[in-house]
Amino acid sequence: MSILNDVSRVLKYRARNAAVAIMARTGDPLCRIMHRPAGEHTVYAELRARGPVHQPKQGPPLLLSHRLCSEVLRDTRIGMRLPGGRSASPNNTLSGTFIEYDPPDHTRLRRLAAPAFRPRLLRDYRTRIEKVTLDLLHSAVRKGEFDLVTDFASPLPIAVISDLLGIPDEHADRFARNGRLMAESPMGTSRLGHQRAINAAIADLGRLFADLMEQRRADPRDDVISLLTAAESEDRITADELVKTCGLLLIAGFETTVNLIGNATKLLTDDHPAQWALLKQDPDLAPRAVEEVLRYAPPVPFASRICQETVDLDGRSLPPKTMLMLLFAAANRDPEAYAEPDQFLLERAAGEPEHLSFSSGIHYCLGAPLARMEGEVALRAMIELMPNLRVIGEPTPRPTNVLRGYLHLPVAV
């Protein structure tokens, strides 16, 4: 049956992409954004001229306003699941993880993972992040020309997540190889061989997590798997939830950081060299550079939510089961929230709201402090070791319409 399931997944992925392309040609705004991401801000501007909420002829309302997106993300009547608790996307790779749950299960599972991101541990992570960053960049500098994504932006978060979870050194290569494949799973694939490789990676990581759980029961340590294993022994989390939580931390931690670093490099060194010069002049702008990259080019440009009871939104009454599409990339450039919203500026005026690239409300990204730290450390190290970094050749965008980043970014020092 597994081969039939794989074929079904691939065919559904192809059919979905074909449908998106057809609907884009008919003018459907969300499909236009998904089909040709490079032109999405032209679409946002067209829709915004008509108001903060756009109702297509087909499909869910599209929210472009920073204020309305923030309100929806904080509204307890609007959640991730259908009324009654059923999943809206049961075949999604992230189904069954706390990112896809509403309270009380979301609260319970998130609370169990949260100690891994407490400030004391994050300070300890920084030393490890700096070491891995310098090792990777020193190796890249020796090449002169390299792929920033495959040689740096991708290995960095995998190494950090290995430490966070507590993956032993003897399993580091196995974890890294399978981790990169698992991180691709939410995107889907049009190739059967690729789908089977992803499935094999997910299964092998499940076995690895299960083995490590057994070891941590006998020999607990200061890592996420130990924390979750202790909770499982107290019946606060099931074994299946534990494995899925580890997988979620892997996927979420990888995708945010790899796309953040790739997007930052392209924006700063290629698209806006004056801002790169400003950052080289004042490396302490690195945290602000991270925030501006996330605002200007969010790795996750949109997300959905579902009304679980009747909700009034922008003068409209929305019944239960109404799906909403929150266009984070549009909200992050809302002229009512940001001065010069389409300008990429490291020195933005004080008082502007936080971008929505890490979401908001109860689903605010748990790993946001870690991703910010990785981005800041990466930028500081790149300034120090490769101040003349430049993009060479044509970057390859990620082959997905739900993430914004690069699969390959050829650079030279």
Side-chain angles (χ1 to χ4, degrees):
M1 286 296 291
S2 61
I3 183 65
L4 294 178
N5 289 337
D6 291 345
V7 170
S8 176
R9 283 176 179 267
V10 168
L11 291 177
K12 285 179 180 178
Y13 179 83
R14 293 177 180 175
R16 185 167 62 248
N17 283 355
V20 166
I22 292 170
M23 292 295 290
R25 287 196 289 272
T26 68
D28 181 89
L30 184 59
C31 290
R32 286 174 63 194
I33 293 164
M34 296 174 69
H35 184 54
R36 297 194 184 280
E40 64 185 320
H41 288 287
T42 299
V43 180
Y44 296 146
E46 293 173 5
L47 299 180
R48 190 180 286 113
R50 306 172 196 170
V53 180
H54 176 74
Q55 177 61 67
K57 293 179 181 178
Q58 300 182 53
L62 310 179
L63 279 61
L64 301 100
S65 156
H66 188 284
R67 176 182 60 81
L68 288 178
C69 285
S70 298
E71 289 178 5
V72 166
L73 291 170
R74 289 179 167 84
D75 195 323
T76 57
R77 300 168 299 170
I78 302 172
M80 302 295 295
R81 296 194 155 221
L82 293 164
R86 289 185 299 111
S87 174
S89 53
N91 295 321
N92 188 301
T93 306
L94 299 178
S95 180
T97 66
F98 67 77
I99 197 173
E100 200 257 353
Y101 278 136
D102 294 315
D105 286 325
H106 171 269
T107 308
R108 172 176 59 86
L109 294 172
R110 181 184 173 101
R111 186 174 292 152
L112 293 175
F117 299 93
R118 56 187 182 267
R120 181 183 64 79
L121 281 181
L122 287 178
R123 287 192 293 272
D124 293 341
Y125 292 155
R126 187 178 187 103
T127 301
R128 170 63 169 159
I129 293 169
E130 290 172 341
K131 182 181 185 308
V132 174
T133 296
L134 291 174
D135 288 346
L136 290 170
L137 289 182
H138 277 302
S139 177
V141 167
R142 287 193 291 270
K143 296 180 182 179
E145 297 181 0
F146 62 99
D147 187 326
L148 185 116
V149 175
T150 58
D151 291 335
F152 174 52
S154 177
L156 174 61
I158 289 289
V160 173
I161 296 164
S162 287
D163 275 4
L164 184 151
L165 292 173
I167 306 298
D169 290 343
E170 63 266 28
H171 295 300
D173 289 343
R174 173 186 176 190
F175 179 76
R177 181 178 62 254
N178 289 329
R180 280 190 288 270
L181 279 166
M182 185 176 182
E184 297 171 4
S185 62
M187 298 183 288
T189 179
S190 62
R191 295 179 288 120
L192 180 58
H194 190 204
Q195 181 62 58
R196 301 194 74 180
I198 290 172
N199 291 348
I202 293 173
D204 192 46
L205 281 172
R207 289 190 291 270
L208 175 59
F209 291 146
D211 290 344
L212 292 175
M213 287 165 54
E214 192 63 35
Q215 293 176 22
R216 295 301 189 269
R217 290 189 185 99
D219 180 23
R221 302 179 186 178
D222 190 13
D223 56 47
V224 169
I225 292 179
S226 294
L227 288 169
L228 296 178
T229 301
E232 187 227 2
S233 67
E234 299 168 2
D235 294 326
R236 291 185 291 152
I237 187 172
T238 67
D240 182 60
E241 288 173 335
L242 191 157
V243 170
K244 288 183 175 179
T245 297
C246 290
L248 168 63
L249 294 175
L250 166 59
I251 292 172
F254 177 85
E255 285 297 348
T256 299
T257 302
V258 70
N259 292 322
L260 166 59
I261 294 173
N263 291 346
T265 302
K266 178 68 167 62
L267 285 168
L268 286 163
T269 67
D270 198 45
D271 299 341
H272 304 277
Q275 298 300 300
W276 178 241
L278 182 64
L279 183 59
K280 288 193 292 184
Q281 181 181 339
D282 183 5
D284 287 339
L285 285 173
R288 295 175 68 173
V290 167
E291 298 307 314
E292 182 65 350
V293 169
L294 289 167
R295 183 195 72 85
Y296 193 85
V300 180
F302 48 80
S304 64
R305 292 292 188 271
I306 301 172
C307 297
Q308 295 172 342
E309 56 185 272
T310 300
V311 174
D312 291 327
L313 181 70
D314 195 42
R316 300 176 54 197
S317 180
L318 304 177
K321 297 185 182 180
T322 300
M323 179 173 284
L324 302 170
M325 291 300 299
L326 283 62
L327 305 184
F328 295 152
N332 282 354
R333 297 199 196 183
D334 184 349
E336 294 188 2
Y338 302 97
E340 298 183 281
D342 292 318
Q343 298 297 311
F344 181 75
L345 302 170
L346 303 193
E347 295 183 306
R348 288 207 149 265
E352 293 183 332
E354 182 180 343
H355 57 75
L356 297 176
S357 300
F358 288 127
S359 190
S360 188
I362 64 169
H363 285 282
Y364 188 83
C365 177
L366 184 61
L370 183 60
R372 285 181 163 118
M373 183 185 297
E374 289 175 294
E376 179 199 344
V377 169
L379 287 178
R380 287 182 182 273
M382 289 159 65
I383 292 167
E384 177 183 347
L385 298 180
M386 44 186 73
N388 297 318
L389 182 68
R390 64 191 186 280
V391 175
I392 56 174
E394 192 64 28
T396 304
R398 302 297 296 274
T400 170
N401 49 30
V402 297
L403 294 171
R404 298 291 183 267
Y406 296 101
L407 189 65
H408 297 290
L409 185 61
V411 297
V413 297

